[in-house]
Amino acid sequence: MYKFSDEVNVDSEGREIRKHGDLDYPVACYYNDMNKDLVIWHWHEEFELIIVKRGSVKISVGSVEEILKEGDGCFINSNVAHSVLKVDEQQEGIINSIVFHAKLIGGRHSIYWKKYLKPLIDSKKRQFMIFKSTEDKEITQLIQTAWQTEAEEKSGFEFEVRNFLSRIIFLISEGECKKDYIPTVREIRDMERTKAMITFIENHFKDEVSLSQISRVVAVSEGECLRCFKRVTGITPIRFMKEYRLIRAAEQIRTTRQNISEIAEDCGFLDMSYFAKSFKAIFKESPTEYRNANI
């Protein structure tokens, strides 16, 4: 199921809304051009594998940031918050990602679940792993092969994709790929607080939300709220709320015929000129141009 990616949208718990495959075959692959796509902070129950096709991108997981270059890849565990950004305005950044549920490889009553999948999902050491094209050739090639096989959907591709992904999970769970990320106690605490703050912002993005309200969600001072959120995301909670509002507005502009000024107001922007300026700063097009390009 090969898809050009849209902006990432999340539900009331902060998990990604997008459906990855279906119940019978829970896997899908995506093509992301980081000059056009926004992969904001989100998390999902599925595993995710990413490979950089051209240029470079910045992968953020917790307070850790990694620059991945062409041919490099990474693994993101179940329910681990992450984002993907382009490195700079001038540089290309195109990625392929494959998102799949653990049950594709083995259900909860199988030896695969008990011996490999559950320990991997529960592992604090394996939340995030990077793979360099020059050092981890087997796994980076497997990611790309799995993605290509899924995208082409030739006869019997489901068996092949499951086999490739099973091999990748085995390599990860056995620790053969050395570049892993082990979060500290503070990083784990920061991530849980930030996920709670993100969920609150997403549930109230249409309202006037203050830093004080956000800080009360996790019972910390405004100063610690700012520090914690920035340690994880690199931006302030208010900046995140603005970007999230713009993403929700873009979704409505792309998928409905509602008046753009009404969409802006519905997404928390009362000043139309400020909305248009902010929208263009992120999407490189005016709201009208964006709608026309996505008809």
Side-chain angles (χ1 to χ4, degrees):
M1 298 180 181
Y2 170 35
K3 302 179 181 179
F4 284 85
S5 179
D6 296 318
E7 294 78 25
V8 174
N9 296 312
V10 295
D11 65 14
S12 60
E13 295 182 351
R15 288 186 176 87
E16 188 176 0
I17 290 172
R18 177 186 294 149
K19 185 178 180 181
H20 304 290
D22 53 40
L23 291 176
D24 294 327
Y25 184 63
V27 57
C29 60
Y30 301 95
Y31 170 98
N32 294 81
D33 182 344
M34 302 314 300
N35 285 317
K36 301 176 182 177
D37 299 330
L38 294 179
V39 183
I40 63 169
W41 283 93
H42 67 288
W43 55 96
H44 39 69
E45 190 175 355
E46 296 87 354
F47 297 135
E48 182 166 357
L49 294 164
I50 294 172
I51 198 83
V52 181
K53 288 296 293 179
R54 291 201 298 275
S56 60
V57 299
K58 180 173 70 174
I59 306 285
S60 298
V61 177
S63 59
V64 175
E65 295 180 349
E66 289 284 349
I67 303 297
L68 300 185
K69 298 181 180 180
E70 187 169 319
D72 294 342
C74 76
F75 164 76
I76 299 168
N77 209 333
S78 172
N79 288 320
V80 172
H82 57 283
S83 69
V84 187
L85 297 171
K86 57 185 175 182
V87 176
D88 60 55
E89 293 293 332
Q90 306 302 319
Q91 195 168 20
E92 193 173 28
I94 294 177
I95 64 172
N96 290 341
S97 63
I98 186 162
V99 182
F100 62 102
H101 200 282
K103 65 185 177 184
L104 179 74
I105 297 173
R108 291 181 181 271
H109 301 292
S110 70
I111 187 65
Y112 308 104
W113 172 262
K114 295 174 184 177
K115 189 174 180 179
Y116 302 103
L117 295 167
K118 189 176 188 304
L120 175 59
I121 290 170
D122 292 342
S123 173
K124 297 301 182 184
K125 186 178 181 181
R126 292 290 187 267
Q127 290 194 355
F128 171 59
M129 297 177 68
I130 61 170
F131 313 114
K132 293 296 184 181
S133 60
T134 54
E135 301 170 27
D136 305 300
K137 290 184 179 180
E138 180 180 5
I139 203 162
T140 54
Q141 289 174 359
L142 279 168
I143 295 171
Q144 184 53 46
T145 302
W147 190 95
Q148 194 65 42
T149 304
E150 171 66 19
E152 291 175 353
E153 294 189 342
K154 294 180 180 179
S155 178
F157 75 96
E158 298 94 340
F159 289 109
E160 293 187 68
V161 170
R162 185 175 64 177
N163 287 340
F164 293 137
L165 296 177
S166 296
R167 177 62 179 168
I168 292 169
I169 291 300
F170 172 73
L171 291 173
I172 292 171
S173 65
E174 290 293 290
E176 292 191 16
C177 302
K178 306 301 182 183
K179 295 179 179 59
D180 49 16
Y181 157 53
I182 307 173
T184 64
V185 172
R186 190 183 81 166
E187 287 173 335
I188 293 171
R189 181 200 64 198
D190 283 351
M191 178 54 69
E192 292 308 309
R193 284 177 173 175
T194 300
K195 287 169 73 172
M197 288 187 276
I198 286 175
T199 298
F200 176 80
I201 290 169
E202 289 162 352
N203 287 339
H204 298 86
F205 76 97
K206 296 182 180 183
D207 307 324
E208 289 189 24
V209 176
S210 68
L211 182 62
S212 176
Q213 289 174 298
I214 296 170
S215 66
R216 286 199 295 271
V217 171
V218 289
V220 298
S221 67
E222 292 183 27
E224 179 56 21
C225 169
L226 279 171
R227 288 189 293 271
C228 174
F229 202 94
K230 288 191 73 173
R231 281 196 295 264
V232 173
T233 69
I235 59 176
T236 67
I238 302 303
R239 170 71 180 274
F240 178 88
M241 182 167 60
K242 175 184 174 182
E243 293 183 356
Y244 183 74
R245 285 171 168 172
L246 289 167
I247 287 170
R248 293 299 297 267
E251 177 191 13
Q252 291 188 47
I253 291 171
R254 188 178 64 252
T255 60
T256 75
R257 303 312 300 168
Q258 186 179 0
N259 184 279
I260 290 176
S261 61
E262 293 176 353
I263 291 174
E265 185 174 352
D266 187 51
C267 292
F269 292 94
L270 302 181
D271 185 328
M272 186 60 192
S273 62
Y274 175 70
F275 167 72
K277 181 180 179 180
S278 300
F279 190 96
K280 190 166 186 177
I282 287 186
F283 294 100
K284 311 307 176 188
E285 297 176 311
S286 70
T288 301
E289 291 170 337
Y290 183 84
R291 168 168 279 174
N292 291 338
N294 286 279
I295 291 176

